[in-house]
Amino acid sequence: MATTGMHRQGTAGSSGAWVSGWTAFAGVMMIFGGAMAIFQGIAAIAEDDVFVTTRNYAYSFDLTSWGWIHLTLGVLVVLAGVAVFRGMLWARIVGITLAGLAMIANFMWLPYSPVWASVLIAIDAFVIWALCVGSGRDAARTD
């Protein structure tokens, strides 16, 4: 079966390998999800009045604090997404960890922005799945 896209295959931890398939999908989704988290963080830092707060919420931090949390996670996810494109094994591990942390942060963010948080939770779930299954299926397809 012929494959399309970038695919210079090396070992999973090699520094010059391009990726394809699910790993490339994970990289794109990490960059996209990280950029959305950055915008979410900037919105929470700049304008606290945009979001409606609920009473007696268990994870009720100041919105500016939530903004900094999302901004930091977003930047780290974007950087890890770029490293995933280089085929780095450490980037896959860091990407899975950061996507899990971003899922938790967005779950806690649900009362403030339910639709946006739900979309980011779904993106993070796809990223974790793609990073977990990516290298084995990509390598099997090119053999």
Side-chain angles (χ1 to χ4, degrees), residues 51-117:
F51 299 101
V52 177
T53 58
T54 58
R55 295 182 194 193
N56 302 324
Y57 181 53
Y59 306 108
S60 60
F61 293 136
D62 180 40
L63 282 175
T64 305
S65 300
W66 275 119
W68 283 107
I69 290 169
H70 285 287
L71 182 65
T72 304
L73 277 173
V75 169
L76 292 174
V77 168
V78 167
L79 292 175
V82 170
V84 163
F85 275 117
R86 299 284 301 164
M88 307 284 185
L89 177 62
W90 65 266
R92 297 172 71 89
I93 296 167
V94 168
I96 291 169
T97 304
L98 287 175
L101 290 173
M103 283 179 82
I104 293 168
N106 283 307
F107 176 76
M108 292 183 206
W109 184 255
L110 277 171
Y112 300 109
S113 182
V115 174
W116 198 343

